[in-house]
Amino acid sequence: MSPVQSLQHALAGEHAAVYLYGVLGGRVPASQQPDLAARLAAGYATHRGRRDQLTAMVRAAGGVPVAAEVSYRLPNPCRTPGQLRAAALDVERRCAAVYAATVAGTARRERAWAAAALADGAVRQLSFGGAPQPYPGMPGRPGPNGTTGANG
Amino acid sequence: MPPAPALSRRTATGGALAVTAVLATGCTGADRRPGAAGPTPSVTGSPTAVPEDPDVALARAVLLRERAMLATLQATARVHPRLRGVLASGRASHRDHVRVLSAAVPDGTGPAPAAASRRRPRHPAAVPARPSAALAALAGAEERHARDGRDSCVAARSGTFARLLASMAAAASQQAAVLSAAARESARESA
């Protein structure tokens, strides 16, 4: 995968993340779940910022930024606070995998940026109930006990 | 700004092949595929061998830092047995990083090779007596470890190896967050 393709792949992931965080933020009962609402709002702002940065990076690399889809499938019904948290965790795990791939496909400043985004997303996973993992962004990589699928 | 060429497309040394095999498959030693053989005798046995792959040198440097981080965690667990629960996932994580990197480095096997003990500080930083301070010190160490790991990730020639290093660094960032939260909680409890 070329550097531009890697950035496009990340941009497509951020389009999905922005859409999904928008939906999640609209469904959280903010008065009853102020912490969750604040975390979802922070996630939305972060991913929107990354989407804009990636758009600029793709253009700077001579590419035409990929457009967002009309809609994206929600990972679960997204009705209860538990489901909203699980959906946000799912988004962050997918983004972590995308950024790990971006690290592999880019170099220098773009790679450093992708590695920082991977770390930030890995930490954000914790705020949505995720447990620390030995290899964030590398699902399926064997963990300490030979288990797979524990990394997100 | 094209990415560095993949290891497989370069004139790879035996050491480079070892790195590739470990990183591509997550396998070590016995279950390594025959096509991706380990270091050749000319690499491991003779100082006049072909120049070492830069990614092998990088893996060795990261391995030393992983060992040092693990040693710091273990020292803290010895001084503060009550913290063993909160330290468990970090210890398991760094132990696995050591395992994977050891397999990628020709002389990286064994608990503490000569090169590692030479470069490791003789007197590791003392563990703070207060649990909250010990946790905060570890959080800072994990933070620095993550930053160093991302720097190494950028220096890697192989994209696959860079991805592994970025993932290991992200794991350290998670640990830093967990330890910071535990330090705050511990400070509140003792206040």
Side-chain angles (χ1 to χ4, degrees):
Chain A
M1 204 186 280
S2 75
V4 178
Q5 284 172 323
S6 295
L7 295 172
Q8 293 277 35
H9 187 50
L11 177 56
E14 288 296 7
H15 279 313
V18 168
Y19 175 93
L20 291 165
Y21 264 106
V23 171
L24 302 179
R27 292 191 181 190
V28 66
S31 58
Q32 293 160 37
Q33 301 281 337
D35 282 358
L36 180 56
R39 285 170 197 174
L40 291 174
Y44 179 74
T46 297
H47 286 284
R48 208 176 44 180
R50 290 230 180 88
R51 177 201 62 188
D52 295 347
Q53 280 178 286
L54 280 163
T55 301
M57 287 158 84
V58 169
R59 283 213 180 94
V64 178
V66 290
E69 304 287 333
V70 175
S71 69
Y72 295 85
R73 197 167 49 192
L74 301 176
N76 66 43
C78 296
R79 294 210 180 89
T80 66
Q83 287 169 344
L84 295 172
R85 255 191 298 276
L89 178 57
D90 184 75
V91 169
E92 291 300 341
R93 285 190 170 149
R94 286 167 188 268
C95 284
V98 167
Y99 278 118
T102 310
V103 164
T106 56
R108 292 179 252 253
R109 284 173 63 180
E110 289 165 344
R111 182 187 282 176
W113 186 84
L118 168 57
D120 179 75
V123 171
R124 198 177 300 279
Q125 288 176 24
L126 305 176
S127 71
F128 294 115
Q133 305 293 344
Y135 301 100
M138 297 181 76
R141 187 179 176 84
N145 304 316
T147 53
T148 57
N151 296 295
Chain B
M1 186 167 59
L7 271 179
S8 56
R9 281 190 275 131
R10 288 187 290 128
T11 311
T13 64
L17 284 172
V19 171
T20 310
V22 167
L23 303 182
T25 66
C27 298
T28 60
D31 50 2
R32 192 177 291 155
R33 284 177 301 191
T40 59
S42 64
V43 171
T44 54
S46 162
T48 58
V50 288
E52 184 177 75
D53 185 278
D55 276 358
V56 173
L58 194 60
R60 186 175 288 115
V62 179
L63 173 60
L64 288 175
R65 294 202 302 264
E66 285 286 349
R67 282 206 173 107
M69 191 65 234
L70 182 58
T72 306
L73 282 161
Q74 283 168 336
T76 306
R78 273 195 301 275
V79 175
H80 298 285
R82 284 186 180 184
L83 297 181
R84 280 183 184 164
V86 72
L87 303 183
S89 76
R91 289 170 78 186
S93 175
H94 289 294
R95 202 176 289 125
D96 205 62
H97 296 173
V98 166
R99 178 185 68 81
V100 167
L101 290 164
S102 296
V105 173
D107 59 1
T109 51
S117 26
R118 263 205 312 277
R119 283 177 232 176
R120 196 187 290 171
R122 273 188 194 175
H123 303 289
V127 177
R130 278 183 30 239
S132 61
L135 288 166
L138 281 180
E142 289 280 17
E143 199 75 66
R144 289 189 294 278
H145 184 72
R147 204 170 46 227
D148 290 344
R150 287 197 298 276
D151 287 347
S152 294
C153 150
V154 175
R157 293 209 176 177
S158 151
T160 308
F161 187 37
R163 183 173 74 140
L164 179 76
L165 294 181
S167 177
M168 288 177 170
S173 293
Q174 284 185 330
Q175 291 301 328
V178 166
L179 292 163
S180 288
R184 285 194 297 273
E185 196 179 327
S186 173
R188 261 201 310 273
E189 280 169 6
S190 62

